[in-house]
Amino acid sequence: MKRLLICMLALALLAGCAPASVQEPEDGKLHIVATVFPAYDFARAAAGDLADVELLLPPGTESHSYEPTPADILKVQSCDLFLYLGGDSDQWVETILEAAEPTGRTLALIDCVETLEEEHVEGMQEEVGHHHDEDEDDHDHDHLGTVTEIDEHVWTAPANAAAITRQFGEVLAELDSANGERYRANAEKYAEEIDTLDDEFHAFFDSLPDRTIVFGDRFPLRYFAEEFDLRYYAAFPGCSTQTEPSAATIAFLTDKVREEGISTVWYIEFSNHLVADAIAEAAGAGTAMFHTCHNVSPEELARGETYVTLMGGNLERLRAHLNEK
């Protein structure tokens, strides 16, 4: 019903007041709209001062349950470039695209790099409505899991983030060929910063005798785990809408922390971290936050946090907590 209302409202707006074609801004700049922070940050870096980049979702908003406004629909319809995830949590975006019929270019992050399927690992809370067949698991890592839908959190691997940034530079160069080399140079500069961070992550993990981590939370870090060959356990898959794990899941994760002498149970940004706290308290461990960069708080956006600074913070926390083992 909500989608139907959105479509009806969007069609009415478009029929009454939307422009027939993309209107060139007075300053001649491209107008880019991004649904989530990673796309916003990579586009901002590639654009420099040559384009205006807007973050569609307000800081701190949960993208999985976001309801677009009529103003959002018009922004998507009239921008030069619309950037979005393209995964299951973006179903509301598909509604916008169907209703608004954008006159500019659209690009999904999951179309920029090779994707992986979301993984259901040992001990993880079973998703309602999901059936897992152990025979389907042919992944060669010791994750003991089965797979479900595509994992959309592609940016969590720095190598992917760098590749997406470079691709954004190319797309902007196509849209504004007069400034093409500047877009490419901007994108390359930022991608090289991400490459450096990627090297630092690899050097750190290569120094560890054990790469096991436990999340008392959702785990939207499949690409990160894959890139750095991590063995992980978590309460929920990355796109889970559940917040209360079963007693069996809590017991499994608590036992895993105790048995393997794990010092830290991790949780993600904007989490109430109650599950992580409960596991850590029962197992005699501590807790720490891993910022997935999916979205940022108003304060983080105001102080100019970037993918590089947020992931750099993750690296510092990993150095502090994983070396405790």
Side-chain angles (χ1 to χ4, degrees):
M1 178 62 71
K2 287 183 179 179
R3 289 184 182 176
L4 178 60
L5 291 174
I6 290 171
C7 288
M8 292 175 64
L9 180 57
L11 290 172
L13 285 169
L14 295 175
C17 62
S21 60
V22 176
Q23 301 297 304
E24 290 295 330
E26 293 182 2
D27 58 7
K29 291 184 176 181
L30 294 176
H31 181 207
I32 304 166
V33 174
T35 59
V36 292
F37 181 73
Y40 166 83
D41 186 59
F42 304 152
R44 172 204 57 78
D49 60 1
L50 297 172
D52 293 322
V53 186
E54 182 176 0
L55 181 60
L56 190 66
L57 269 67
T61 301
E62 172 56 64
S63 66
H64 298 79
S65 58
Y66 185 67
E67 292 289 347
T69 67
D72 293 336
I73 296 171
L74 291 178
K75 287 176 183 178
V76 173
Q77 196 272 343
S78 61
C79 69
D80 297 290
L81 177 61
F82 177 56
L83 304 169
Y84 63 107
L85 290 185
D88 280 354
S89 70
D90 261 1
Q91 291 301 313
W92 59 270
V93 172
E94 296 302 324
T95 300
I96 286 184
L97 294 178
E98 291 174 7
E101 296 182 356
T103 52
R105 182 163 175 177
T106 63
L107 180 62
L109 267 63
I110 63 170
D111 292 333
C112 295
V113 293
E114 184 177 349
T115 57
L116 299 171
E117 290 179 303
E118 192 173 79
E119 201 170 37
H120 189 98
V121 300
E122 182 186 14
M124 188 178 281
Q125 179 73 28
E126 186 79 16
E127 281 288 279
V128 176
H130 281 244
H131 174 71
H132 299 278
D133 184 351
E134 295 297 330
D135 292 335
E136 294 176 358
D137 184 23
D138 58 0
H139 196 269
D140 59 0
H141 282 208
D142 186 23
H143 289 167
L144 305 177
T146 54
V147 294
T148 54
E149 64 271 2
I150 293 297
D151 191 315
E152 66 202 38
H153 307 92
V154 292
W155 69 87
T156 58
N160 281 352
I164 293 169
T165 299
R166 290 184 172 100
Q167 183 158 343
F168 281 7
E170 291 298 324
V171 171
L172 291 175
E174 293 172 10
L175 293 174
D176 180 14
S177 59
N179 293 301
E181 291 310 307
R182 290 181 63 186
Y183 290 121
R184 292 186 180 97
N186 290 342
E188 184 61 29
K189 180 180 179 182
Y190 196 54
E192 288 177 355
E193 290 182 37
I194 300 173
D195 287 338
T196 298
L197 184 62
D198 188 41
D199 291 341
E200 292 175 356
F201 271 113
H202 274 288
F204 168 68
F205 284 117
D206 287 346
S207 72
L208 297 181
D210 181 26
R211 304 186 188 190
T212 303
I213 54 176
V214 172
F215 271 68
D217 211 325
R218 291 189 288 120
F219 191 79
L221 296 166
R222 172 80 199 277
Y223 294 88
F224 185 86
E226 188 78 12
E227 181 171 349
F228 301 113
D229 197 25
L230 306 186
R231 184 167 177 256
Y232 69 88
Y233 300 93
F236 309 105
C239 285
S240 174
T241 57
Q242 297 188 74
T243 58
E244 297 184 10
S246 66
T249 293
I250 291 287
F252 175 87
L253 294 175
T254 301
D255 289 344
K256 188 63 63 176
V257 172
R258 285 177 180 150
E259 292 167 2
E260 303 204 15
I262 293 171
S263 64
T264 302
V265 179
W266 297 84
Y267 59 90
I268 62 174
E269 75 277 9
F270 304 131
S271 168
N272 61 23
H273 53 87
L274 294 177
V275 176
D277 289 346
I279 295 168
E281 182 177 0
T287 61
M289 186 267 289
F290 191 106
H291 204 306
T292 71
C293 307
H294 198 154
N295 204 340
V296 291
S297 67
E299 295 76 19
E300 288 170 332
L301 188 65
R303 65 172 178 258
E305 295 284 2
T306 67
Y307 177 86
V308 169
T309 63
L310 293 173
M311 289 297 282
N314 288 332
L315 178 57
E316 292 307 309
R317 285 186 290 275
L318 287 166
R319 283 172 173 161
H321 291 278
L322 292 192
N323 281 331
E324 291 177 1
K325 185 172 178 179

